[in-house]
Amino acid sequence: MVLTSFIITSRETLEAALVIGVIMAYLTKTNNPQYKKTVYYGIFAGIVLSILSAWVFTMFAGGFEGRAEEIFEGFTMLFAAVLLTTMILWMMRQKNIAKNIQNKVSAHIEVAGYNKTYAYGLFLLVLIAILREGVETVIFFGAINYSSGISFLGAALGVVAAIVVGYLFFIGTRKVNLKMFFTITSILLILFAAGLVAHGVHEFQEAAVIPYTVKEVWNTNNVLDEKGVFGSFLKGLFGYNGNPSLIEVLSYLAYLVGIFYVYHRFSVRKAKT
């Protein structure tokens, strides 16, 4: 699914690009170019470990069959939904993300200034930033693959778009509204996460871990087939199911109500401060 893959990679890559961009800009501003090589090492190590995590996930996932496979797929979808939710809530709390990153970099450089061997702190900061986004992307793509399929074109375009946005933001030649970007993608990711929750519940029901209660609340596949072109689009992005069970519907609605309630409470609290 092109759009879903695009949103995931653009969001994840942009977060990593912001971290790297802030670090490089700070090193240039403070006249500490000697640490840029450390940053490059951290980027390389983070990418290598991310690729390794993708390989491990693929090998691990390929070892399941039948009921165990359904349980694993259901767990992957629910875990991906949890990660998406925490990522969205974390971004909502970031008022001065660039300033926070600068403070961390400043602390590492101050220590490294006393002892060159302590430059590994900066290396770990970069490595963890890359690896975290890489591992999350692997898990998200695993969940996407189970629910609607991965689009490598969409993923590649997302990476390119994120790099371009991050570059334009830091060189300052154009005004890039990151708040608007994160708001729009957060809403889309919330709907996507709700779909993952429902799909995860469906897999657990297929594995007889969760009972059906009511196996089919409605069936709209004759009108809008979930396997058709438009139906697949809605399934991949919003979790559309032409014939959901009652628990699937309730879990989807419960997630949306819960996350938007938290979102509303946070917005109200933020407006008062």
Side-chain angles (χ1 to χ4, degrees):
M1 203 282 176
V2 178
L3 185 56
T4 305
S5 299
F6 176 87
I7 292 172
I8 292 296
T9 55
S10 64
R11 180 70 181 247
E12 293 295 315
T13 304
L14 182 57
E15 290 183 27
L18 290 176
V19 173
I20 302 304
V22 170
I23 291 173
M24 297 299 282
Y26 182 81
L27 291 176
T28 300
K29 183 179 179 180
T30 57
N31 195 27
N32 282 292
Q34 68 272 22
Y35 294 111
K36 288 186 177 180
K37 186 179 293 186
T38 301
V39 175
Y40 297 142
Y41 290 151
I43 293 173
F44 177 76
I47 292 174
V48 170
L49 289 177
S50 296
I51 294 173
L52 180 61
S53 70
W55 179 79
V56 171
F57 182 88
T58 303
M59 293 297 101
F60 188 73
F64 293 104
E65 294 181 356
R67 183 169 182 265
E69 182 180 8
E70 292 171 341
I71 294 174
F72 179 76
E73 290 178 4
F75 174 80
T76 300
M77 291 179 184
L78 293 180
F79 185 56
V82 172
L83 283 180
L84 279 172
T85 304
T86 55
M87 179 179 72
I88 292 167
L89 295 178
W90 180 81
M91 285 305 301
M92 287 166 51
R93 294 186 175 94
Q94 301 307 305
K95 293 183 179 179
N96 301 303
I97 183 172
K99 186 64 177 177
N100 293 338
I101 296 171
Q102 283 184 7
N103 290 337
K104 290 182 180 179
V105 176
S106 176
H108 287 304
I109 290 179
E110 184 177 348
V111 173
Y114 296 116
N115 190 331
K116 295 298 181 182
T117 60
Y118 284 94
Y120 71 80
L122 186 59
F123 169 82
L124 289 176
L125 177 64
V126 176
L127 186 151
I128 292 172
I130 299 293
L131 183 59
R132 185 188 67 184
E133 308 304 337
V135 171
E136 288 181 354
T137 302
V138 169
I139 295 173
F140 295 154
F141 272 14
I144 293 173
N145 188 45
Y146 296 141
S147 62
S148 60
I150 300 172
S151 169
F152 290 102
L153 175 61
L157 291 175
V159 171
V160 173
I163 292 174
V164 171
V165 171
Y167 176 75
L168 292 176
F169 178 77
F170 283 106
I171 65 174
T173 56
R174 299 184 185 182
K175 184 178 181 181
V176 179
N177 194 333
L178 289 180
K179 181 180 180 181
M180 179 63 69
F181 173 84
F182 283 125
T183 298
I184 293 174
T185 55
S186 291
I187 293 174
L188 292 175
L189 287 176
I190 285 172
L191 295 173
F192 173 62
L196 286 180
V197 170
H199 283 308
V201 168
H202 174 78
E203 292 298 326
F204 280 131
Q205 289 180 319
E206 288 285 318
V209 175
I210 298 177
Y212 277 102
T213 308
V214 178
K215 191 169 185 178
E216 190 175 284
V217 179
W218 64 71
N219 193 328
T220 56
N221 280 323
N222 292 330
V223 179
L224 181 60
D225 189 356
E226 64 185 60
K227 296 181 180 179
V229 176
F230 190 58
S232 297
F233 171 81
L234 295 178
K235 180 180 179 180
L237 190 58
F238 303 119
Y240 170 72
N241 188 344
N243 57 334
S245 68
L246 177 61
I247 297 180
E248 283 182 71
V249 174
L250 293 178
S251 63
Y252 188 95
L253 294 176
Y255 178 84
L256 288 181
V257 170
I259 191 66
F260 280 114
Y261 172 76
V262 174
Y263 191 93
H264 174 71
R265 286 291 301 271
F266 176 79
S267 298
V268 172
R269 187 183 307 170
K270 190 175 181 180
K272 292 180 179 180
T273 57

